[in-house]
Amino acid sequence: MDKIFRVDMSALNSTVEPVPSAWAALGGRALTSAIVAQEVPPTCHALGANNKLVFAPGMLSGTTAVNSGRLSAGAKSPLTGTIKESNAGGTAAQVLARLGVKALIIEGIPKGDGWYGLLVNKTGVRIVEEKELIGKGNFAVIEALEQRLGKTGVLTIGPAGEMKMLSANISVRDADGKLRSHGRGGLGAVMGSKRIKYIALDGADAPAVPLADPGKFTAAARTFAKAIMNHPGTGQGLPTYGTAEMVNIVNAAGGLPTRNFLHGKYEHNEKISGETLRETIIERGGNPSHGCQAGCIIKCSQVFLDKKGKYVTSGMEYETIEILGANAMIGDLDVIAEADHLMDDIGIDSIETSVAIGVAMDGGVLPFGDGQGVLRLLREELRPGTPLGRTIGSGAGNVGKLYGVTRVPVVKNQAIPAYDPRAIKGIGITYATSTMGADHTAGYAVATNLMGVGGGIVDPLKKDGQVELSRHLQIATVMLDSVGLCLFIGFPSADDPTCVPAIVDMLNARFGLELTPEWFGGLGVTTLKTERAFNQAAGFTNEHDRLPEFFREPLAPSGAVWDFTGEEIDQFWNF
């Protein structure tokens, strides 16, 4: 039977609880948001004792369904002040699901200055004091825990989380002993506030996830996998070039943020393109097509080696490549890869930090294009937590305030990722209305605006249809996040009529239910409304669903502008 593991860091004890009936049909994001909304006071200090950190595997995690190993983490965000859910691949979701853990809820703050680790197995959670690993980077933590405990699932924070930097992330051990990240919103700072350095998940002797109807599940899982492999995006484009395939596509559309969102095209785009990335990886003997979780068949990740064939990083995403490559004007994949490695080890969100670096460059901290300066900044300022390092680690919004920069690309204080909303208006609506601050993954309108996913292109330069598109995609994304599926399942879900019914069939066969696609959509609507209600109680209004005013300025070279009125944006919530 599924259960709730609850850890009280104030009392340094843990309990095992039954799953309340209201949470029984939830998982992933739907569950983390429901728990945070129910148990966290919206006006509490995000780094105080009243905030809670919640982990929940998706509803299909731990099964043989492909690409189903995403783990959701939720809390009140210290970066935005809103509710937050972040999800990651790696090994943790499958282990928690096999342990029968519906959710792991961490609350309270311990007395004194001690640090702790959590050891999770099928019987519950043991809290142990930790001294040796404090101050260590994430890679050293993973290695040390493997020596102590064997190859176990691990969630860990780096020095940024220990220092409670607002951009700190939570890293997840992947199957190769490397890292994936709960990146956005500063959840690593929440874990650090509770003085938890790591969570080790022992899946030894854990049984297979039970299936109410194994035959029906297997048939639906095959249909689902076929839909993924038959789609040109998930079956061809992403496995070949990874998410970096978007560099040339977005540059051609004039929406590639360059020089801190001053321009929409980068003259050296080929140096950082997915095509160049693939060629470089193959030439050096790396892996251009790699899964971030067991059972991944899309394999949009990669393993990047340096010129001597030494491992540097894996899973270098388009957003990090673009924001450092074009937005900071560093046209060098080796520098970007090293920066990605350093940010992984420090435990800091690579999107927020990279955008913050672009704002800092605009403020005169570094020249644009100074790749070696960025590496020094990460090693000598961010990692030890100097005043400048803590400023960068507190996000783009805070950097802009301290250095008097007016072009600061944030919504609800969270950095806008690597798509300029003036040239791709659908993603601009997502940035404005997302319950969690600017987040391209909340409703990835780029796929429809530029690639025709979902039945045809919605013109990225026109306002027509963008609000409806973003609403539809945000609802659908909640559904995927709750089931534990990769974001890119949205591609075949939009284009292949067999995909969503197969997902629903797998859920029914897993739990012995009779859910419908309509129920599935309702889950997305309910969760978005729950998240918005939390934010409203925390003091957020429609006026926070706006893009920065500099987006009213024409974007070179196209001259595109952000021209939505507040009233038009507010139509998003009419459902």
Side-chain angles (χ1 to χ4, degrees), residues 236-249:
Q236 299 169 28
L238 286 166
T240 304
Y241 300 113
T243 59
E245 71 171 334
M246 298 306 299
V247 171
N248 285 341
I249 294 172

Side-chain angles (χ1 to χ4, degrees), residues 24-83:
L26 304 179
R29 176 175 170 182
L31 183 53
T32 63
S33 290
I35 293 172
V36 171
Q38 181 174 320
E39 298 195 1
V40 175
T43 57
C44 75
H45 196 298
L47 299 179
N50 289 321
N51 199 7
K52 299 187 181 185
L53 180 60
V54 184
F55 296 97
M59 297 165 72
L60 290 178
S61 295
T63 71
T64 57
V66 298
N67 290 83
S68 62
R70 305 292 291 188
L71 177 68
S72 288
K76 178 177 178 176
S77 165
L79 179 71
T80 64
T82 66
I83 199 168

Side-chain angles (χ1 to χ4, degrees), residues 199-225:
I199 304 169
L201 309 170
D202 180 6
D205 300 322
V209 170
L211 302 176
D213 189 334
K216 182 178 178 181
F217 187 93
T218 298
R222 287 173 178 165
T223 300
F224 176 61

Side-chain angles (χ1 to χ4, degrees), residues 298-314:
I298 298 175
K299 297 185 177 180
C300 70
S301 179
Q302 72 291 123
V303 178
F304 187 94
L305 310 180
D306 66 14
K307 294 175 182 178
K308 296 181 180 180
K310 181 181 177 182
Y311 173 86
V312 181
T313 192
S314 47

Side-chain angles (χ1 to χ4, degrees), residues 14 22-23 32 41 54 72 81 125 128 140 154 237 241 243 258 314 355 358 381-382 411 425 448 474 476 485 497:
S14 65
W23 299 349
T32 63
V54 184
S72 288
V125 182
V128 296
V154 176
Y241 300 113
T243 59
T258 303
S314 47
V355 175
E381 306 286 351
L382 252 165
V411 179
K425 294 186 188 295
T448 302
Q474 289 196 51
L485 296 175

Side-chain angles (χ1 to χ4, degrees), residues 28 36 45 95 134 159 165 167 193 203 242 319 322 343 395-396 420 501 509-510 516 561:
V36 171
H45 196 298
V95 177
I134 306 310
M165 293 184 186
S167 301
S193 74
E319 289 73 26
E322 193 289 322
M343 288 186 281
D420 196 298
R510 160 75 172 90
T516 64
V561 298

Side-chain angles (χ1 to χ4, degrees), residues 142-156:
I142 296 290
E143 182 178 351
L145 290 177
E146 185 169 322
Q147 291 175 355
R148 290 184 194 176
L149 306 170
K151 292 186 178 180
T152 183
V154 176
L155 300 160
T156 172

